[in-house]
């Protein structure tokens, strides 16, 4: 099928390349000429394991191409994915300017029946809003005889259907999550559109795609469950899923904070409750909490959507508060450990909001480092992938390019992101470089016993 993906960020680029991988003809569009030039040369604008190989493979096969010419791409393709950003506005609601601009462009280039898919996380009711914008754009005259418009009447209802097909991709495992989703959600008022979407995803649904490097074999795995529903329910599924996962993390962090005072071990508590099939073991890792470009944005947007109906989201507001407090808790721990922060040297392991990504948006590590720098500490940071100081990071923070620099002369080390690389460090050698061997493990990632046996004054979260 002929697919156009508008927006080549984490969601758009992964969606486009994976649809190319299952045999569709995909044109990825972005208004960022620099990004498109990079992609045309198979240079990745983002770090996502396995992405580069798939882009190269599908560009070479001709299934995948990149352009800044949005109009031509819409004209030539039938399935149009909207994958542009919906970043939070200062009041926490979603910024829909980019979605609106794309919807207008689609209306200007509707020359035949098309399916318009909202892949970007958009507020509840956005599907109808996108329809309205497209229709208005057609009505104001797109100059194209779209077949159903024989009388030349620019006010004929445009020939398209809108589908909500929310993504559940986790950064760092986005390609795996595309080929091994727990479910595919399709929301639309049009059965025709739903049927075409099922055809589009057929090879993923029925597990009939070729083996992909770095992914497990799909042979014998169960067909993917479909959730076919209306537009609003599909949009709500995305917000409800992310908000639940974020609340689950804040829940375990609140329990960890109690454990820490009561002398209980959160790792054992999390295991003990996670084995209950009604709770489930995943997303029960206590630590400095959630960040990234999704949880903070989506939870906040859902509280704003609720407020529009006069609903106060007490549970979600508490999940946000607990999460904000977890970061500040690390600063308090540093103060308890060092007594005086000013003039002390603190090394931080990990900048990205989670491992296997270069994304530093709303990363807990950045909040922590900014607070410590503002308290007068000399702060150093190291990340396996992030090699440029993010704009949101206090420019006084020193970016290091190896872990020895981080430990050398430091009074305290804080592990903020659980990169696999940090498991295998030679902590005996690195500890000897420190001025004082304090270690706070913000992700309970390392072995408390091992670190203490190496002479570290080790503390975690709830252990
Ligand atoms: C999330 C959702 O998982 C995904 O389905 C959605 O499409 C996009 O948002 P992502 O933000 O990439 O994905 O990362 P995720 O792996 O979900 O982690 C989110 C945050 O929670 C990270 O900061 C992570 O460090 C934190 N986290 C996760 C915990 O603190 N504890 C956990 O047990 C799991």
């Amino acid at each position: 099928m002929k697919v156009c993906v508008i927006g080549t960020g984490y969601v758009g680029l992964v969606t486009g390349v994976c649809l190319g991988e299952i045999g569709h003809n995909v044109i990825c569009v972005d208004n960022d000429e620099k990004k498109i030039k990079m992609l045309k040369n198979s240079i990745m604008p983002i770090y996502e394991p396995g992405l580069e190989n798939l882009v190269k493979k599908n560009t070479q096969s001709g299934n995948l191409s990149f352009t800044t010419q949005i109009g031509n791409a819409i004209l030539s393709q039938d399935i149009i994915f909207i994958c542009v950003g919906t970043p939070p506005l200062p009041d926490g609601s979603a910024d829909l300017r980019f979605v609106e601009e794309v919807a207008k462009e689609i209306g200007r280039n509707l020359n035949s029946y098309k399916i318009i898919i909202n892949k970007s996380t958009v507020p509840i009711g956005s599907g109808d809003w996108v329809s309205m914008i497209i229709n208005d754009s057609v009505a104001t005259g797109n100059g194209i005889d779209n077949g159903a418009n024989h009388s030349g009447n620019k006010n004929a209802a445009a020939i398209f259907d809108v589908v909500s097909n929310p993504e559940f991709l986790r950064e760092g495992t986005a390609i795996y999550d595309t080929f091994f989703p727990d479910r595919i959600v399709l929301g639309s008022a049009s059965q025709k559109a739903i049927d075409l979407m099922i055809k589009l995803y057929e090879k993923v649904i029925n597990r009939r795609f070729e083996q992909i490097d770095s992914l497990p074999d799909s042979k014998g795995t169960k067909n993917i469950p479909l959730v076919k529903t209306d537009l609003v329910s599909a949009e709500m599924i995305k917000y409800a899923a992310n908000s639940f996962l974020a609340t689950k993390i804040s829940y375990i962090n609140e329990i960890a904070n109690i454990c820490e005072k009561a002398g209980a071990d959160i790792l054992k508590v999390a295991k003990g409750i996670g084995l209950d099939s009604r709770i489930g073991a995943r997303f029960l890792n206590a630590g400095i909490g959630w960040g990234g470009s999704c949880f903070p944005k989506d939870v906040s947007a859902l509280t704003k959507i609720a407020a529009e109906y006069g609903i106060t989201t007490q549970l979600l507001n508490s999940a946000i508060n607990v999460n904000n407090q977890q970061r500040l808790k690390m600063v308090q721990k540093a103060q308890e450990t060092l007594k005086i922060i000013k003039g002390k040297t603190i090394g931080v392991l990990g900048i990205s909001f989670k491992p296997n990504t270069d994304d530093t948006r709303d990363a807990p590590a950045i909040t922590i480092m900014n607070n410590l720098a503002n308290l007068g500490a000399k702060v150093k940071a190291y990340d396996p992938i992030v090699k440029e100081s993010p704009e949101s990071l206090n420019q006084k923070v020193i970016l290091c390019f190896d872990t020895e620099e981080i430990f050398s002369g430091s009074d305290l080390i804080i592990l903020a992101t659980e990169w696999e690389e940090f498991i295998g460090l030679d902590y005996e050698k690195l500890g000897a470089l420190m001025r004082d061997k304090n270690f706070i493990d913000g992700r309970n990632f390392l072995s408390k016993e091992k670190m203490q046996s190496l002479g570290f004054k080790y503390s975690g979260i709830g252990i």
Side-chain angles (χ1 to χ4, degrees):
M1 298 169 87
K2 295 195 287 183
V3 178
C4 167
V5 177
I6 303 171
T8 57
Y10 287 95
V11 174
L13 189 50
V14 169
T15 300
V17 74
C18 292
L19 287 172
E21 178 63 18
I22 57 174
H24 297 298
N25 167 269
V26 180
I27 302 176
C28 285
V29 180
D30 203 295
N31 60 9
D32 181 335
E33 293 203 15
K34 182 167 166 279
K35 194 186 272 193
I36 292 299
K37 189 161 182 276
M38 286 170 74
L39 286 164
K40 281 181 171 179
N41 293 301
S42 289
I43 299 167
M44 296 303 106
I46 56 171
Y47 176 79
E48 185 64 43
L51 183 64
E52 184 175 351
N53 290 342
L54 281 186
V55 167
K56 282 180 179 164
K57 175 184 171 188
N58 286 283
T59 302
Q60 281 158 14
S61 70
N63 286 357
L64 182 65
S65 62
F66 299 97
T67 180
T68 56
Q69 304 303 308
I70 184 170
N72 295 339
I74 294 167
L75 285 169
S76 68
Q77 308 300 85
D78 309 312
I79 312 279
I80 317 289
F81 278 88
I82 301 178
C83 295
V84 292
T86 55
L89 289 167
D91 71 354
S93 60
D95 181 355
L96 296 175
R97 276 175 300 148
F98 309 115
V99 173
E100 181 172 8
E101 198 36 58
V102 164
K104 285 177 182 169
E105 196 65 43
I106 290 169
R108 287 193 278 269
N109 293 283
L110 263 189
N111 59 342
S112 63
Y113 174 75
K114 298 185 192 293
I115 294 181
I116 317 298
I117 301 131
N118 267 339
K119 197 88 178 159
S120 303
T121 305
V122 288
I124 316 294
S126 296
D128 297 331
W129 175 70
V130 165
S131 293
M132 177 196 76
I133 293 170
I134 295 173
N135 274 313
D136 289 353
S137 177
V138 171
T140 53
N142 57 16
I144 291 158
D145 175 1
N146 60 20
N149 204 352
H150 305 302
S151 62
N153 167 6
K154 291 171 185 167
N155 298 316
I159 41 172
F160 67 94
D161 285 313
V162 173
V163 172
S164 172
N165 171 220
E167 51 85 13
F168 301 97
L169 310 181
R170 291 165 296 157
E171 289 180 22
T173 56
I175 291 172
Y176 173 84
D177 292 339
T178 303
F179 285 101
F180 293 80
D182 290 331
R183 73 308 203 180
I184 291 177
V185 174
L186 299 171
S188 180
S190 159
Q191 188 56 50
K192 173 182 175 184
I194 295 279
D195 292 344
L196 282 169
M197 290 299 291
I198 291 169
K199 186 162 173 271
L200 178 78
Y201 287 126
E202 194 271 333
K203 285 189 177 176
V204 173
I205 295 165
N206 296 327
R207 321 309 288 144
R208 284 215 291 264
F209 52 88
E210 289 165 28
Q211 174 72 31
I212 295 166
D213 294 346
S214 78
L215 291 188
D217 188 353
S218 64
K219 296 280 175 302
T221 55
K222 286 190 181 148
N223 282 11
I224 303 301
L226 289 179
V227 177
K228 294 177 269 187
T229 182
D230 58 278
L231 267 172
V232 176
S233 302
E235 291 159 350
M236 178 57 87
I237 287 169
K238 171 66 185 209
Y239 279 108
N242 269 5
S243 298
F244 180 83
L245 291 168
T247 303
K248 188 175 182 183
I249 294 164
S250 284
Y251 171 79
I252 201 64
N253 281 336
E254 187 145 86
I255 297 299
N257 296 340
I258 302 167
C259 285
E260 202 157 307
K261 298 300 181 197
D265 180 341
I266 189 60
L267 299 177
K268 295 287 192 295
V269 170
K271 181 173 181 176
I273 65 172
L275 287 169
D276 182 321
S277 59
R278 296 167 301 174
I279 295 173
R282 297 172 68 188
F283 281 63
L284 281 180
N285 300 329
I288 57 179
W290 36 271
S293 62
C294 293
F295 281 4
K297 166 174 74 75
D298 293 353
V299 179
S300 172
L302 188 53
T303 65
K304 292 285 175 252
I305 292 164
E308 288 173 9
Y309 295 96
I311 295 171
T312 302
T313 50
Q314 299 175 62
L315 191 59
L316 296 182
N317 294 347
S318 300
I320 294 168
N321 293 337
V322 167
N323 194 56
N324 292 337
Q325 281 309 309
Q326 280 311 96
R327 303 178 181 195
L328 301 180
K329 182 182 167 62
M330 293 303 281
V331 179
Q332 288 156 12
K333 268 180 169 288
Q335 288 172 312
E336 285 158 17
T337 304
L338 298 174
K339 306 300 181 241
I340 302 293
I341 290 277
K342 204 181 290 294
K344 293 290 182 6
T345 300
I346 300 172
V348 176
L349 293 173
I351 302 174
S352 59
F353 83 95
K354 63 182 274 196
N356 300 316
T357 182
D358 59 350
D359 197 345
T360 60
R361 284 175 287 185
D362 206 355
I366 292 179
T367 308
I368 293 163
M369 288 190 276
N370 288 346
N371 275 275
L372 292 171
N374 292 338
L375 287 170
K378 177 182 175 187
V379 182
K380 305 183 285 186
Y382 167 80
D383 187 280
I385 294 288
V386 178
K387 297 303 178 193
E388 287 179 17
S389 194
E391 277 181 29
S392 55
L393 183 61
N394 183 316
Q395 294 312 301
K396 283 187 285 186
V397 174
I398 301 157
L399 203 60
C400 297
F401 297 96
D402 65 52
T403 48
E404 285 200 10
E405 281 183 75
I406 287 291
F407 282 77
S408 182
S410 293
D411 301 295
L412 167 65
I413 298 294
I414 295 175
L415 187 146
T417 311
E418 64 279 26
W419 281 97
E420 197 62 29
E421 179 180 317
F422 300 151
I423 288 266
L425 296 180
D426 181 344
Y427 285 102
E428 183 167 15
K429 186 184 112 198
L430 292 168
L433 302 174
M434 294 178 74
R435 187 160 58 184
D436 193 358
K437 291 177 70 172
N438 297 299
F439 195 105
I440 299 174
D441 187 346
R443 295 291 184 184
N444 294 334
F445 189 51
L446 304 176
S447 155
K448 180 176 183 178
E449 291 68 30
K450 183 187 168 213
M451 295 300 278
Q452 287 178 330
S453 72
L454 293 172
F456 285 94
K457 287 166 267 181
Y458 174 98
S459 72
I461 308 273
I463 57 174

